[in-house]
Amino acid sequence: MASLKAQGIDSILCTPTATPPRWLTAEHPEWMRVDINDVPFTHGTRQHCCTNNPGFRAESRRITRAMAEAFKDDAAVIGWQTDNELYCHVEECYCESCQVGFREWLALRYDQSIEKLNHAWGTLFWSQQYDDFDQVVIPKKWRQPAPCNPSALLDFRRFLSDSVTALSARTGGDSA
Ligand SMILES: [Zn+2]
C-alpha cells in the first residue's frame, strides 16, 4: 500500500471473512457450510464457511478488529469494504449450527410453544406433528419424495434472512 500511495494510488481494504485462510478451514472442517445433500463445501472458493457457526463468527470478529487496529491511521487507506455479499451464491446451509439455530429461532418465534408451531404449520396433515423443538429438522425441498411443508420452508427462509441480519448487527456492535 505504501508503494501504491507513493504513486498516488489510494487503497480500499476488505476483510477476509468471506475467504478464510486454509489453516483455519483445515483446523475447523465443521465450520464449512453444508449443501442440501449433506455434503460440506470445500476450501478454494469463497463463502464456504457458515456464518451461523459461533467459532467462525468469533474469528471473523477477531480478524476484523485486528485489521481495523492495524490500519486505522494508515493514510493510504481511504475506505473499507465489508463482507457485503452474504449467501449470494448459495442461499441455504444445512450444517449443525444452522440446525441448532433454526430450532432456537423457531422456539422464539412461537413463544417456546411447540403447539403454536404445530398450529401455524398445519402439522396435522401427513402426521407432521412435533412434540418438541428438538424434533424439528430443516426442510429439504429437493430431498423428499413429496413437497415439504410450505410453512416450514417459509420459516427456514425467514431464519436465514434474520441470521444474516443478526450477523451484521452483532459484528458491528459486539465489543468482544
Ligand atoms: Zn450453516
Side-chain angles (χ1 to χ4, degrees), residues 78-146:
I78 61 166
W80 289 83
Q81 180 255 315
T82 56
D83 197 347
N84 64 345
E85 296 174 304
L86 297 161
Y87 291 56
C88 66
H89 302 297
V90 178
E91 298 169 349
E92 300 92 357
C93 177
Y94 300 85
C95 78
E96 185 59 26
S97 293
C98 285
Q99 179 63 80
V100 170
F102 183 49
R103 289 172 177 155
E104 292 173 352
W105 184 91
L106 289 171
L108 282 174
R109 177 171 177 77
Y110 294 106
D111 302 323
Q112 311 295 326
S113 168
I114 198 64
E115 291 79 15
K116 285 186 178 180
L117 178 143
N118 282 322
H119 179 74
W121 286 12
T123 56
L124 277 173
F125 189 69
W126 285 353
S127 303
Q128 298 175 66
Q129 289 170 294
Y130 300 100
D131 300 315
D132 191 274
F133 287 99
D134 287 341
Q135 294 178 346
V136 179
V137 294
I138 294 175
K140 294 184 173 180
K141 60 186 174 185
W142 302 330
R143 293 282 312 276
Q144 307 293 345

Side-chain angles (χ1 to χ4, degrees), residues 20-33 41 48-50 53 55-56 59:
R22 179 59 181 140
W23 63 263
L24 196 66
T25 58
E27 192 172 314
H28 295 285
E30 74 280 9
W31 293 4
M32 297 303 224
R33 293 174 65 191
F41 289 2
H48 43 287
C49 282
C50 180
N53 182 287
F56 178 75
E59 286 299 296

Side-chain angles (χ1 to χ4, degrees), residues 11-83:
S11 296
I12 297 175
L13 290 180
C14 63
T15 62
T17 47
T19 56
R22 179 59 181 140
W23 63 263
L24 196 66
T25 58
E27 192 172 314
H28 295 285
E30 74 280 9
W31 293 4
M32 297 303 224
R33 293 174 65 191
V34 174
D35 73 12
I36 197 167
N37 298 307
D38 293 326
V39 177
F41 289 2
T42 57
H43 192 89
T45 175
R46 68 176 195 152
Q47 297 186 2
H48 43 287
C49 282
C50 180
T51 56
N52 283 331
N53 182 287
F56 178 75
R57 285 188 177 206
E59 286 299 296
S60 294
R61 281 194 298 272
R62 190 166 72 94
I63 188 63
T64 300
R65 180 176 301 281
M67 288 183 68
E69 289 292 332
F71 297 105
K72 66 182 180 184
D73 298 322
D74 194 315
V77 179
I78 61 166
W80 289 83
Q81 180 255 315
T82 56
D83 197 347

